[in-house]
Amino acid sequence: MVKFDYFEPKSVEQACAFLERHADEAKLIAGGTALLIWMRMMLLNPHVVVSLARIPGFDSISFDPKDGLRIKAGARHRDIELDPAVREHYPLLYETFRKVAQPRIRNMGTIGGNLCQGDPLTDPGASLIAMDAEITLTSSKAKRTLPLEKFFVDYYQTDLRPGEILIEIRVPLPARPLGWAHIKFLPRSQEDFATVGVALVLRGNALGKRRRSCAAKRSPMIESGRWRRWPRMKSIPWMTTAAPPITNVT
Amino acid sequence: MKRKITLTVNGKEQELEIEPNRLLLHVLREEIGLTGTKEGCSIGVCGACSVIVDGRLVSSCLTLAAGCEGRDIETIEGLAKDGNLHPLQQAFIEYGGFQCGICTPGQIMAAKALLDENPKPTADEVKEWMSGNLCRCTGYYKILESVMAVVNNKISPDFQFRKREQQAKIQSLDVYKPVAKTD
Amino acid sequence: MKRTINLTINEEAFEAEAEPRLLLSYFLRERAGLTGTHIGCVIGECGACTVLLDGRLVKSCLLFAVQADGRKVLTIEGLAKNGALHPIQEAFVQQYGLQCGYCTPGMVLASYSLLRDNLNPTEEEIRKALGGNLCMCTGYVQIVESVKAAAKKLQQS
Amino acid sequence: MAKAEKFSVVGQRVQRVDGFDKVTGESKYIADIILPGMLLGKILRSPYPHARILRIDTSKAEHLRGVRAVVTAEDTLKRPWGAFFADQYILSVGKARYVGEEVAAVAAVDLDVAEEALALIDVEWEPLPAVFDAEEAMKAGAPLVHDDKKRNIAVTLDIERGNIQRAFAESDIIVEDTFQSAPQWHCSIETIGSVAEYASSGKYTIYMNSQTLFNARYRIAAALGVPETDIRIIQSAVGGGFGGKSCDDNNALVAAILARKAGKPVKVINSREEEFLAGCRPRVFMKIDVKLGFKKDGRIRAKHIRIIADNGAYSAKAPAITGVAAMRHDTCYKYSDVKTQAYLVYTNKIPTGAFRGFGNPSAEWAVEQAIDIGAHELGIDPMEIARINAAESGYVSPHGNRVTSCELKQCLDMTEKMMDWKKKRADKKPNTGLGLACTVHVSGKRHFGDYDGSSATIKINEDGKALILSGEGEIGQGVHTAMCQIAAEELGVRVEDVEISKADTDLTTFCLGAFASRLTYISGNAVKNAASNVKQQLFQQASEMLEANADDLISHGGRIFVKGAEGKFVTVADAARARLFRHNGAPIVGSGSFDADSVLPDKTRFGNESGAYNYGVQAAQVEVDRETGQVKVLQYVIASDCGTVIYPIGAEGQVEGGFAQGIGYALIEGLQFDEGRPVNPNFSDYRIPSMRDLPPLTHAFADSYEPTGPFGAKGLGELNMDPTAAVISNAIFDAVGVRIKTLPITPEKVLKALTEKG
């Protein structure tokens, strides 16, 4: 690993200022589970590392019935998994986050870091897209909010612009009843990255047709995320054999 | 540019000056001399470097030491108190939860983090929790058995490692007279 | 407050941090890993920790490492070159100038300092030059013989 | 069957002797060894699978601040070395023959500097045509890996016993098929490493995590060109070996020459990537054609096997491994007429070598499937086919292997019962199936010179406790505990009163080390003999003190007494002290040797390769998901015949751990090469089984007694790695009717086979 300067800003504004100042040579670190591997492999060699770990409230999760779920980018996967509101109102997210890697990595990796890495092999993206999540990004110049699915561009490529920090993920409260599933296909070890991850949401009237399962699968209400790309699929013929049983209704 | 940091490691404060690119794993091993924490894969997969930071189980190979300023770190060396093994350590011996032992500090720290959070996990919960700690020797059956032995309180109450005598009387040599004894 | 100490040890640059109170002898052993410099008394009496600082014979237990900052140190490890012993080392081996060997690095360096200035010392001069180096094993006779033999070797070369 | 022998220590669930250190993190593995002034070494490796080195310029690296030594082949004798063939160099001489080959190395004050220095070494390469496939390599005109090896063939075997043509003519049905095994990496959680120290007087002291210290010493001496005595090898705690740490690689040698040049101790530890590229020597990849002739009643009449084995660029132990794959299995069943042809072929890939099973997992993958095919064609239960053909005590294989004890049939009965085989077979559910395979392994193997033995020394300390000095070493399998139990049993003392030293070539007598499942049997016998010698001395002393005849004495629990008169006794401590503290005093110290009754195979590879053979049976019930091709193992059963079980926790651990590696081999593990370059050399992409990947397992040991073993024991370590892949494949066939013939069995392969079958 190269030598670098290390900063721990105490506010998002400060962090943005650091990013601005060290434009090309700085990297943000949150959980570090991906960044440090790349740095150890000398694939990334930043001269400045800005840690977001000491920004007060940057890991908070809050829920409001009208506003939905607001997850600050510094929340760790395990914080989300263990959050009572997530468990109660967003069972799909609970099921997804409890399956991310294993507890040690969930204790470290943050949702913001995960999304910004743009790694299609990881689990949260698909479920959050399926739940209509939107994200807020900020820089010292501007703040913007966009749907998560627009954020993902390609393998390891996102719409994150220079100087920007992902600060929040908002997930609207889903309509009830809600049918949902998240599965990932692990051909080798249970610890592997998924070959395919599928998140599926059925809302409102689509649920009534659930018994006509094939029809339900073609319903425009179904959304999913898929390996290597992040499409919000309107129809998913490839799933006709591997679809999970939609048994979870809340 | 080196930074000064203070870590609390197994209850003891440690003041260190380190480069920001140093990993917690290497600082524990090389600066503090706690070599119980092992490096296996260097990429957070195998869990041999598992330690507990502020109550959370983490991979010390993916943790910058600089980010641990002021944090409380537990390593395998902090588990046994006054030569008395932690119940998990005892269970791993009694139930054969290791062979070569290189993954064992990580396995035990992972199990400790679980039991701290959930003292009565089911076997499936243990499996799910521990699955990120790889072992190439045991096939895991005895690791699971060891952890479940602690959960189900099946470790011996009067465990003494290899019956070591703590207060052996050393026979004086100059008064030694060989004779047969009787019961 | 720790200080960064830069010095040359056996012709190699070396840098390490140390508290100002750290003695040069410990610095050499623990920071530089050169354990040939031995600790005998830590009050400058025994000479087991003898090294050369900028060419002058010193007892490294009577110096702080910071005092060696920017200077040149020669330790016993710097004497043999490319696996070949220095003639003084050879002489100590051949003339049985050692038993346990603990004082030997200091003895050798003291002899080195002597013979550098005086290639033909008398026994008295040898005993005087090595007077600050204590040995509990040999009774010094063979040490003196070793230094004499070393002087001869050096004269010939 | 077992002798009615009652043991007081053997067979008890005792505590591991090294347990405390391991659960507290106090065990010193190689990375934990830190010497004063120690430097860290890094190795520059070939980026090409085959290339000539035109020039190496190390001057920039040498001038980097913090660099203490840079070495190339010029710092070595350029003398080739190797376990069987001297064909590899410490650092490339003229050419590199695989990606990852050691070309140069640096010792520096820290790893970052060492890595920077590697980048400053300037090597001018001339890439050469390379060959990556063993079959391609055998073709005329293929690039030669070694100029003197025509058609790249390192070893050819062509052996016929009996009359194979007649035997096939007399067969009722003939099964013929081709199977491919896969390379597999050891993936010890601790990688290979060494700390070398060089005293300018000429002695090397090398701390190694090797599993075969004296073999390491021999090879290092040969490569460095110094006598064995000038090399002292001290074993650190070993974080898993499985064959990978038997010093077939250059790690310790590079550390040694760096230490010599730098004049400082040097530690060289493989990164995980280096371990995959060029560290441990992975399992030999084999393509195996099997042809079996059966009689209608299920008897195997003829067997013809043809193997093409991928040696990689250098030979390591692959020559012996090829022989094992070609012949070992003929000790499992009662064969009469067999033919075996095998070719070991050089390619421009990582050298392959010893991995738990030593050729057996590859061969059993093929042969046990061919037998299963035969069983299905004949309409006979695979369990019955195995029973009909199973070897028995007294069997002599066509290659001269003499079986002194064999409980294979008992293992079959146990497996049948534990699996509830008959019932499960009768109520077969869709997409579920049962599979079975048998296995045989050795307990030691006579192949490193004409010696298949071990030696040990036991001394009694003044406190009456015994200390075993053995150079065999502990690599995690628990053999030190088993040795303490054997010594305690023989001496009649508590196991807590026996300790064992770490292995150190300067302090212990010659020992071959951990391979060929030999330690419990071979070194167990040596320890037992040493203990017996010590016991004689103790009894001699005690007889004076008890005023009794030494022949009438027995010992138990640390007391020595006349048989039947336990009330009056002397303790072992008293006897030892009495022998020492007197005129003409002497410590009680005894040594013991054992050399197995095996035979160094002759030119036709005939000869009893081992003193004892261990047997096992495994069975699986699997469920196949027809939509994804995924295989779920519902239940797994193992029965093992390892003679008397000395250390049950350790023995169970060997079964479970071997099986876990078998599951990895069968279903999970695989390294992909691209033009000889490993594509996934890390734990994120080369997966090994995790806790969640292991199925429910039931296992048990046969009631067995090996007459030549210590208290009836024989080997176990490798047995349960061997048949697992075949078991799973056989079960998949039973479940969905497709047979997978290449490893690992991935969902893609199963799905493809199902689609093709329609």
Side-chain angles (χ1 to χ4, degrees), chain D residues 25 75 229 252 290 360 433 440 456 485 488-489 544 594 626 649 703:
Chain D
D75 298 281
T229 305
V290 192
N360 224 359
V440 61
Q485 284 178 276
E489 186 72 47
E544 291 173 23
F594 174 77
R626 281 181 176 272
I649 296 177
D703 183 13

Side-chain angles (χ1 to χ4, degrees), chain B residues 22-148:
Chain B
R22 299 276 281 160
L23 297 166
L24 179 60
L25 166 68
H26 296 145
V27 167
L28 287 171
R29 289 179 54 83
E30 292 155 23
E31 311 290 331
I32 309 178
L34 295 174
T35 54
T37 304
K38 307 298 181 189
E39 181 158 13
C41 68
S42 315
I43 56 169
V45 174
C46 79
C49 68
S50 301
V51 300
I52 299 175
V53 177
D54 282 353
R56 284 174 184 262
L57 184 71
V58 304
S59 296
S60 60
C61 77
L62 294 184
T63 303
L64 288 177
C68 293
E69 160 63 32
R71 302 202 192 275
D72 206 352
I73 295 155
E74 292 170 67
T75 73
I76 188 71
E77 288 90 347
L79 249 53
K81 297 268 189 284
D82 309 320
N84 296 316
L85 294 179
H86 185 279
L88 279 164
Q89 293 175 308
Q90 179 187 330
F92 271 64
I93 295 177
E94 279 192 72
Y95 290 86
F98 60 87
Q99 284 178 35
C100 83
I102 192 98
C103 73
T104 311
Q107 301 280 3
I108 290 177
M109 293 314 285
K112 177 177 188 288
L114 170 62
L115 299 192
D116 284 352
E117 189 176 306
N118 176 8
K120 291 281 166 203
T122 63
D124 278 344
E125 284 171 327
V126 174
K127 272 193 197 175
E128 205 165 320
W129 182 279
M130 302 278 291
S131 65
N133 287 75
L134 298 179
C135 171
R136 192 59 159 169
C137 295
T138 61
Y140 306 101
Y141 296 97
K142 292 198 186 306
I143 295 177
L144 182 62
E145 203 183 337
S146 304
V147 177
M148 291 315 287

Side-chain angles (χ1 to χ4, degrees), chain D residues 296-363:
Chain D
K296 265 190 213 135
D297 61 7
R299 274 180 297 147
I300 302 170
R301 180 67 189 88
K303 176 189 171 216
H304 182 183
I305 185 168
R306 185 173 177 276
I307 298 174
I308 296 175
D310 190 337
N311 190 31
Y314 302 100
S315 287
K317 298 203 182 69
I321 292 162
T322 309
V324 166
M327 295 152 69
R328 172 78 50 79
H329 201 65
D330 301 346
T331 313
C332 193
Y333 299 115
K334 285 177 284 187
Y335 290 101
S336 53
D337 302 78
V338 297
K339 182 172 171 66
T340 180
Q341 289 168 294
Y343 306 92
L344 178 66
V345 188
Y346 285 107
T347 61
N348 291 109
K349 295 211 300 279
I350 179 172
T352 55
F355 187 164
R356 195 180 212 159
F358 211 73
N360 224 359
S362 315

